[in-house]
Amino acid sequence: MAAPHFRGIHACGGSEVNLMMWGVAAIGFFSGIISGMGIGGGTILIPALLFLTEVNQQQAQGVNLIYFIPTAVVALITHHKNGTLDLKTAKPLALLGLAGAAAGAFLAVSLESEILKKLFGGFLLLMGLSEIFKKKKGEDTHAKG
């Protein structure tokens, strides 16, 4: 099995590698917190993997998908125990999500890494702008006068 390869550093020992491993571990933990909140740990995990390691965009997204399975299970159990699951809404979304996941995975491996990276970055930018500028529900959009 090949050793993990970090940006400019091959993981054969040394303090720089240990620092990078701790960085990856911290990002895994923080992404787990974000995942458990339902925000999407991949928004942190994928860019961090691209920055800290030498994986390409497809590999980072693949790692994110593997990472997502156990974190989603733990979060799902926790939300179920706390009564915060709406299974009536979740079931059709999950079924349609399976078809979408297959289509998305096929698309992701078909695209060049740089194009996929730009699409992912654009998506994150749009989501960030949406969160910054969205109005609260029920907020009046007209100025009071």
Side-chain angles (χ1 to χ4, degrees):
M1 175 183 238
H5 200 92
F6 298 99
R7 293 238 179 254
I9 304 169
H10 193 269
C12 292
S15 61
E16 290 182 58
V17 170
N18 289 335
L19 181 62
M20 293 300 255
M21 292 296 283
W22 280 106
V24 169
I27 287 161
F29 181 74
F30 185 62
S31 295
I33 291 171
I34 299 299
S35 294
M37 294 170 64
I39 297 171
T43 58
I44 304 231
L45 186 65
I46 292 171
L49 285 171
L50 293 170
F51 180 71
L52 291 175
T53 71
E54 293 190 355
V55 300
N56 66 29
Q57 185 72 30
Q58 286 92 342
Q59 291 168 325
Q61 288 182 217
V63 168
N64 179 61
L65 293 172
I66 291 170
Y67 172 88
F68 177 74
I69 294 168
T71 58
V73 168
V74 170
L76 184 62
I77 291 167
T78 303
H79 283 280
H80 180 67
K81 284 182 178 180
N82 288 302
T84 57
L85 288 181
D86 178 1
L87 292 176
K88 184 178 177 184
T89 302
K91 284 180 185 179
L93 288 173
L95 290 174
L96 292 169
L98 290 172
F106 178 76
L107 183 61
V109 297
S110 299
L111 293 172
E112 290 182 28
S113 186
E114 285 303 310
I115 292 171
L116 188 58
K117 189 183 293 188
K118 288 177 179 163
L119 287 171
F120 181 72
F123 172 75
L124 290 180
L125 178 65
L126 288 175
M127 294 308 296
L129 290 172
S130 169
E131 288 299 314
I132 290 170
F133 294 111
K134 82 177 181 181
K135 302 218 181 268
K136 291 180 184 176
K137 287 185 179 182
E139 188 176 289
D140 189 4
T141 56
H142 301 290
K144 294 182 180 179

